Amino acid sequence: HKGNHEHYMQKEIHEQPESLTTTMRGRLIRGGTCKAKTVLLGGLKDHLKTIRRSWRIVFIGCGTSYNAALAARPILEKLSGILVTMEIASDLLDRQGPMYREDTAVFVSQSGETADTLHALEYALQNAALCVGITNTVGSAIARKTHCGVHINAGAEIGVASTKAYTSQIVVMAMLALAIGGDAISNQARREAIIDCLFDLPNKVRDMLKLDQEMKDLAKLLIAEQSLLMFGRGYNYATALERSLKVKEVALMHSEGILAGEMKHGPLALVDESLPIVVIATRDACFSKQQSVIQQLHARKGRLIVMCSSGDATAVSRQKYSGSAKTWHKGSLKCQKLQKVHLSATFQKKWIT
Ligand code: UD1
Ligand code: F6R
């Protein structure tokens, strides 16, 4: 039931602290009698050795599920040392791309029934790859046909746009990376830091959701726009793609997620005083590069909304508004308001770093 919420999507967005907790329950273990921090994925324990011996791990999915895999790829690469590639299910089928028995193919799907992903699974099975599912729906076709897998346990997702499944999928793939990476001494510090961050994640999400009203105010001022660009890099390239997908399908507005590292190879031509641009600049390995992206966008008088980690408002905004703020949309009441929201819209966002 929707409870106090206006629609299921809103309910599911607000459920994330609980759905993330359920995703990790019984799988992420720390403290107590067992001091070491460990990961236990029941559905994979008999297959980890085979996965570790694979030539590559290939993530396959569509839409939001693909984006979730893209967000998790760097962690898996770092912890496993195995080549990790990405396939959009329909494109793999269109190309009849290479797939070998030495591959581990990971199928990511909330519903477990998406036709393209299911066909790609059949293709991978024919090519004798080890097929792993990451699904939300117990008993779904993908859960049944994969050799093994992990249920994300996010609870039923009724809203058409995938929301809470996205964050649970990323968490499952981070746990998958920890499980495949094993307990190599060289990874110990990184493993423990990731596990601590995962335990902390539901609280971080709870804090984020307190910004709901501020986001609604900002959204009201953007809804009349033609287009909205999202710039991210590193882990947050996936965030940029996923957000622009949501803007398209929920707000019915054109939006494009852009890899910030590609900005000067074409997209910079779009930047002017009117097109709103969201830049994700959290405290991760890409922070200083994003600071310089912000400066370059500012030099072009870009209309920026910067999403940054807690406490970084100054680090990402000092140069941003001086000078050009007054030149945006002179005159109309709506646009004066827009400026005001811009000035207060630098808010806190903390992702898995
Ligand atoms: C399982 C039980 C859970 C129980 C726990 C106790 C189910 C669905 N889950 O959770 O209720 O509390 O043991 O130890 O009964 N699988 C696939 N493809 C997929 C997803 C899963 O083949 O896409 C397979 C797994 O390899 C596994 C089984 O389905 O054999 C259940 O997976 P999962 O629910 O993730 O396992 P547990 O977390 O151990
Ligand atoms: C976006 C969305 C779609 C799905 C895609 C894959 O909000 O819902 O892009 O993510 O159709 O669906 P699943 O994950 O069920 O395979």
Side-chain angles (χ1 to χ4, degrees):
H1 196 267
K2 303 201 284 294
N4 292 332
H5 296 285
E6 288 163 40
H7 43 72
Y8 280 108
M9 187 178 75
Q10 190 186 53
K11 172 176 178 271
E12 287 159 6
I13 289 170
H14 284 268
E15 256 169 32
Q16 287 176 98
E18 292 75 40
S19 55
L20 288 167
T21 304
T22 317
T23 297
M24 292 186 272
R25 183 169 297 134
R27 292 167 164 178
L28 212 52
I29 298 145
R30 102 177 141 177
T33 46
C34 165
K35 279 253 165 59
K37 296 169 183 172
T38 46
V39 174
L40 188 78
L41 296 172
L44 288 189
K45 62 180 188 319
D46 298 334
H47 301 267
L48 284 175
K49 268 194 188 150
T50 318
I51 298 174
R52 288 186 192 121
R53 280 200 304 263
S54 14
W55 281 0
R56 78 165 167 167
I57 297 170
V58 48
F59 280 122
I60 302 165
C62 309
T64 294
S65 294
Y66 175 90
N67 292 342
L70 190 65
R73 169 160 75 162
I75 304 182
L76 184 58
E77 278 176 340
K78 283 202 181 85
L79 294 185
S80 73
I82 303 171
L83 169 68
V84 184
T85 63
M86 304 289 310
E87 291 284 359
I88 292 175
S90 63
D91 188 48
L92 174 70
L93 293 165
D94 290 346
R95 291 173 9 252
Q96 297 283 293
M99 184 70 65
Y100 304 106
R101 61 181 312 118
E102 295 82 1
D103 285 333
T104 294
V106 182
F107 295 85
V108 187
S109 174
Q110 187 285 128
S111 61
E113 303 289 349
T114 301
D116 288 330
T117 313
L118 193 53
H119 291 148
L121 168 58
E122 281 153 7
Y123 175 73
L125 288 168
Q126 281 159 21
N127 287 281
L130 174 70
C131 295
V132 179
I134 295 180
T135 48
N136 195 28
T137 315
V138 177
S140 60
I142 292 171
R144 279 186 282 110
K145 292 186 179 176
T146 40
H147 296 119
C148 59
V150 187
H151 290 115
I152 66 169
N153 297 340
E157 195 174 60
I158 294 165
V160 172
S162 186
T163 54
K164 63 176 178 172
Y166 179 70
T167 45
S168 283
Q169 286 168 332
I170 295 175
V171 164
V172 163
M173 288 182 266
M175 293 193 292
L176 174 75
L178 291 164
I180 295 173
D183 40 20
I185 295 289
S186 55
N187 276 335
Q188 200 56 36
R190 191 191 293 272
R191 280 175 63 83
E192 296 206 359
I194 294 171
I195 293 176
D196 287 340
C197 284
L198 287 173
F199 272 112
D200 212 22
L201 192 60
N203 284 330
K204 290 259 157 54
V205 172
R206 212 168 271 124
D207 285 347
M208 263 301 290
L209 292 168
K210 288 183 191 146
L211 295 165
D212 203 34
Q213 192 52 51
E214 196 171 350
M215 291 302 95
K216 280 182 184 153
D217 293 344
L218 180 59
K220 272 185 211 147
L221 295 165
L222 292 172
I223 194 71
E225 299 295 333
Q226 291 284 313
S227 178
L228 186 58
L229 300 187
M230 309 276 183
F231 277 58
R233 71 200 302 158
Y235 298 109
N236 283 318
Y237 173 41
T239 315
L241 292 182
E242 175 56 14
R243 286 200 190 139
S244 70
L245 179 61
K246 287 289 152 340
V247 170
K248 280 175 203 139
E249 66 173 340
V250 179
L252 312 183
M253 184 196 290
H254 171 257
S255 180
E256 207 178 315
I258 294 175
L259 183 69
E262 279 287 283
M263 180 180 73
K264 56 182 177 293
H265 305 292
L268 203 53
L270 291 170
V271 180
D272 62 13
E273 293 176 17
S274 57
L275 176 67
I277 302 174
V278 176
V279 183
I280 308 164
T282 46
R283 274 284 169 180
D284 53 30
C286 297
F287 184 65
S288 62
K289 289 181 182 169
Q290 286 299 73
Q291 279 181 306
S292 97
V293 163
I294 289 166
Q295 278 176 23
Q296 289 172 57
L297 291 170
H298 175 64
R300 300 258 174 150
K301 299 196 178 0
R303 252 174 81 191
L304 307 189
I305 300 162
V306 179
M307 299 194 172
C308 62
S309 300
S310 174
D312 273 345
T314 317
V316 297
S317 68
R318 184 161 281 155
Q319 313 93 341
K320 196 180 57 175
Y321 298 111
S322 59
S324 69
K326 286 197 195 85
T327 64
W328 300 335
H329 301 284
K330 283 182 215 147
S332 86
L333 182 64
K334 181 198 123 199
C335 295
Q336 282 171 8
K337 268 201 209 147
L338 186 59
Q339 285 181 16
K340 202 169 133 232
V341 172
H342 269 290
L343 293 170
S344 70
T346 303
F347 62 90
Q348 306 164 0
K349 178 174 186 299
K350 182 109 173 116
W351 204 248
I352 311 171
T353 52

